[in-house]
């Protein structure tokens, strides 16, 4: 069995990977965010369960359900399983292959007839005779063990394994990207439901106010102090408020159905209690340093892993140009009698070494190397873009959150002033001391201001969730894979 022993030593003869040039990243990393506050960057970095900071128990429950039941996340998890299996496939050539075989053969050789023998001009002899001839029986039994190993002298198989491992790492970061996207979408959809519910309440309140004013104008019309034009204008305003209700109910129903899918539920069996955007708090969070974002954003880490995988793929394609050395050894026993099969005299062994050097393959290897370099360049540019996009996402989210917070405060003042003006106009209308046109303007101003305030609050909440998404969700120590599970 010396052949098999020699093959067992084969992995020790494999060489290292041929070094290849790594592309320059040339990343422009700013020292700070332009829109960031002057507070300490570590004052309030996002925690892993950042969504709890919004202060909504229902939202927290929906987030937990999405991480468990979201089908996009389930698909990403299945892709991780596939990537791990591919690592095993890529690593198999680094180990010898071993195959066992056993066979039993029984052969019978019989003589031809006398007439046939005479026609052939001769006779056939054998044992166990028959008419005019003989026959023989032949038996052979064998068992063997065959091992083969490809010497990875140039590191081709090792590079393939490392590329598969980096791809598996990228699939894990992809799972985090999908998970983060799913839970941010849950938050945004929930906020849109709350905003639609707020708008529906405001619209119904405005409808009630418009109908109250309409009743007053009709009373004045009956008394001769208001015209039919005044009545018709107020009826149009009340009708506008009434017509605005069905679209809001559509928005609420459709967003609830969309939210059901995000948490893996059938829409018919799913309900949302909801509430108001005014009761949702915006968690205090600072963006940290731009350089830290490179370790916290899963999409950046995914792009980094894909770039590393393509680097190893280039090394694998380059190593394919060099000779491939194959060792094959076979050992076993062979005998014509089963009783004497495993005797020393029946043993046999062979050891074969072969070398294959590509000479001309129609430029296949050269083209494969060019393709690998093209993928490497593509992944390099994708990595650079992921980094710059991450910085841009944070800047845009910070600007939006700051400005919408300011707009909310200013718009709340507009609503308060509009409410005061409408209350005064209604009192004066009852006293008959105001022009109806002024009342209509006060009504429309209040209605528009209240709806705008709801929309601004929604924009602020969406900006807050976008900031958490831009920061990569919750933060862990640098270099650690963020887990949202």
């Amino acid at each position: 069995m010396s052949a098999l022993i020699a093959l067992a030593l084969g992995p020790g003869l494999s060489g290292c990977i041929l070094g290849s040039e790594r592309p320059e990243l040339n990343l422009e990393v700013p020292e700070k965010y332009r829109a960031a506050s002057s507070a300490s960057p570590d004052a309030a970095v996002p925690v892993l369960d950042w969504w709890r900071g919004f202060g909504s128990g229902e939202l927290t429950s929906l987030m937990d359900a999405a991480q468990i039941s979201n089908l996009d996340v389930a698909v990403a998890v299945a892709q991780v399983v596939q990537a791990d299996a591919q690592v095993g496939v890529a690593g198999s050539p680094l180990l010898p292959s071993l195959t066992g075989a056993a066979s039993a053969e029984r052969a019978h050789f019989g003589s031809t007839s006398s007439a046939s023998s005479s026609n052939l001009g001769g006779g056939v002899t054998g044992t166990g005779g028959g008419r005019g001839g003989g026959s023989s029986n032949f038996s052979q039994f064998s068992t063997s063990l065959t091992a083969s190993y490809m010497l990875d002298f140039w590191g081709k198989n090792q590079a393939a394994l490392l590329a598969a491992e980096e791809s598996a790492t990228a699939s894990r970061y992809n799972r985090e990207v999908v998970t983060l996207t799913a839970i941010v979408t849950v938050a945004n959809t929930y906020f849109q439901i709350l905003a639609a519910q707020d708008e529906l309440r405001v619209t119904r309140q405005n409808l009630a106010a418009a109908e109250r004013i309409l009743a007053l104008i009709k009373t004045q019309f009956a008394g001769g102090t208001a015209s039919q034009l005044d009545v018709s204008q107020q009826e149009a305003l009340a009708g506008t408020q009434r017509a605005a209700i069905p679209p809001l109910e559509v928005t609420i129903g459709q967003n609830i159905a969309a939210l059901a899918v995000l948490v893996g539920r059938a829409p018919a069996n799913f309900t949302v209690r909801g509430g108001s955007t005014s009761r949702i708090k915006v968690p205090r969070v600072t963006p940290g340093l731009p350089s830290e974002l490179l370790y916290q954003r899963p999409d950046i880490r995914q792009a980094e892993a894909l770039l590393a995988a393509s680097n190893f793929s280039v090394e694998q394609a380059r190593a394919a140009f060099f000779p491939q050395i194959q060792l094959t050894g076979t050992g076993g026993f062979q005998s014509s009698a089963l009783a004497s099969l495993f005797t020393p005299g029946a043993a046999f062994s062979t050891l074969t070494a072969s070398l294959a050097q590509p000479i001309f393959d129609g430029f296949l290897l050269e083209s494969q190397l060019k393709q690998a370099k093209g993928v490497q360049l593509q992944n390099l540019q994708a990595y650079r873009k992921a980094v710059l996009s991450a910085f841009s996402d944070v800047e845009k989210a910070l600007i939006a959150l700051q400005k919408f917070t300011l707009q909310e405060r200013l718009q709340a003042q507009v609503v308060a002033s509009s409410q005061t003006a409408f209350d005064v106009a209604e009192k004066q209308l009852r006293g008959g001391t105001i022009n109806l046109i002024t009342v209509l303007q006060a009504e429309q101003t209040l209605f528009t201001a209240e709806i705008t305030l709801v929309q601004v609050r929604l924009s602020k909440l969406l900006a807050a969730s976008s900031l958490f998404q831009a920061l990569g969700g919750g933060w862990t120590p640098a270099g650690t894979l963020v887990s949202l599970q």
Side-chain angles (χ1 to χ4, degrees), residues 111-115 117 124 128-134:
S111 63
T112 61
S113 64
S114 300
S117 298
V124 178
R131 290 185 303 167

Side-chain angles (χ1 to χ4, degrees), residues 105-442:
E105 180 181 358
R106 177 73 171 175
H108 173 75
F109 299 93
S111 63
T112 61
S113 64
S114 300
S116 299
S117 298
S118 61
N119 290 337
L120 292 174
V124 178
T125 60
T127 60
R131 290 185 303 167
S135 63
S136 63
N137 296 318
F138 176 77
S139 299
Q140 180 170 293
F141 304 92
S142 67
T143 180
S144 64
L145 195 63
T146 302
S148 63
Y149 180 71
M150 176 72 74
L151 283 179
D152 195 27
F153 192 78
W154 312 107
K156 175 184 174 182
N157 296 332
Q158 182 69 20
L161 173 60
L162 294 176
E165 289 177 343
E166 291 294 345
S167 296
T169 300
S171 69
R172 281 169 167 75
Y173 285 115
N174 177 67
R175 179 196 63 191
E176 302 302 328
V177 171
V178 173
T179 302
L180 181 59
T181 301
I183 62 176
V184 168
T185 304
V186 167
N188 291 343
T189 305
Y190 184 71
F191 294 151
Q192 289 168 352
I193 292 173
L194 298 186
Q197 289 177 334
D198 282 342
E199 289 189 36
L200 184 60
R201 280 191 291 270
V202 168
T203 301
R204 286 172 173 167
Q205 291 171 359
N206 292 338
L207 175 60
E211 289 178 338
R212 187 172 65 247
I213 297 298
L214 177 60
L216 181 59
I217 294 176
K218 285 182 176 181
T219 300
Q220 293 177 346
F221 175 72
T225 58
S227 66
Q228 180 61 48
L229 176 62
D230 296 331
V231 174
S232 298
Q233 286 179 327
Q234 187 61 30
E235 286 178 340
L237 182 59
T240 299
Q241 296 299 314
R242 190 177 296 106
I245 291 177
L248 294 174
E249 293 174 335
V250 169
T251 299
I252 293 173
Q254 290 181 342
N255 279 321
I256 290 177
L259 190 57
V261 175
L262 289 171
V263 298
R265 297 280 303 278
N269 301 324
F270 180 77
T271 58
V272 174
R273 182 177 67 255
S276 173
T277 54
S278 62
R279 291 196 287 268
I280 300 295
K281 300 181 297 182
V282 174
R284 177 175 173 267
V285 60
T286 53
L289 299 175
S291 58
E292 294 176 316
L293 195 64
L294 304 181
Y295 295 100
Q296 306 300 337
R297 285 261 302 217
D299 59 334
I300 294 180
R301 302 303 300 275
Q302 179 188 8
E304 182 182 27
L306 290 175
L307 177 58
S310 63
N311 291 339
F312 289 121
S313 294
V314 170
E315 295 171 353
Q316 178 188 3
R318 181 178 288 108
F321 283 88
F322 295 92
Q324 305 298 308
I325 304 173
Q326 177 81 34
L327 300 180
T328 304
T330 303
F333 300 90
Q334 182 174 313
S335 174
S336 60
L338 183 60
S340 59
L341 176 61
F342 294 101
T343 61
F348 71 91
S349 64
T350 62
L351 177 62
T352 304
S354 63
L355 183 145
Q357 170 62 55
I359 298 177
F360 180 74
D361 57 1
F363 304 103
L364 173 62
L365 295 179
E366 182 179 355
S367 299
Q368 289 176 338
L369 178 59
K370 289 181 179 179
Q371 182 186 30
K373 288 184 176 180
V375 174
Q376 182 188 48
L377 180 59
Q378 173 184 326
N379 289 337
L380 172 62
Q381 303 304 339
Y383 177 68
R384 290 171 176 168
K385 182 180 179 180
V387 172
L388 293 179
S389 297
F391 295 151
S392 175
D393 292 342
V394 175
E395 290 283 5
K396 291 188 293 184
L398 286 171
I399 293 171
L401 184 57
Q402 291 173 2
K403 299 308 178 182
F404 285 129
T405 300
L406 174 60
Q407 185 182 7
E408 180 189 21
R409 185 170 67 252
L410 297 176
Q411 188 63 31
Q413 295 174 359
V414 173
V415 170
S417 299
S418 300
Q419 184 68 58
T420 300
F422 175 72
D423 292 341
V424 172
E426 185 177 3
K427 290 180 181 178
Q428 292 180 350
L429 178 64
R430 293 182 182 278
T433 60
I434 193 173
N435 190 305
L436 285 177
I437 295 178
T438 303
V439 177
L440 290 175
Q441 290 176 341

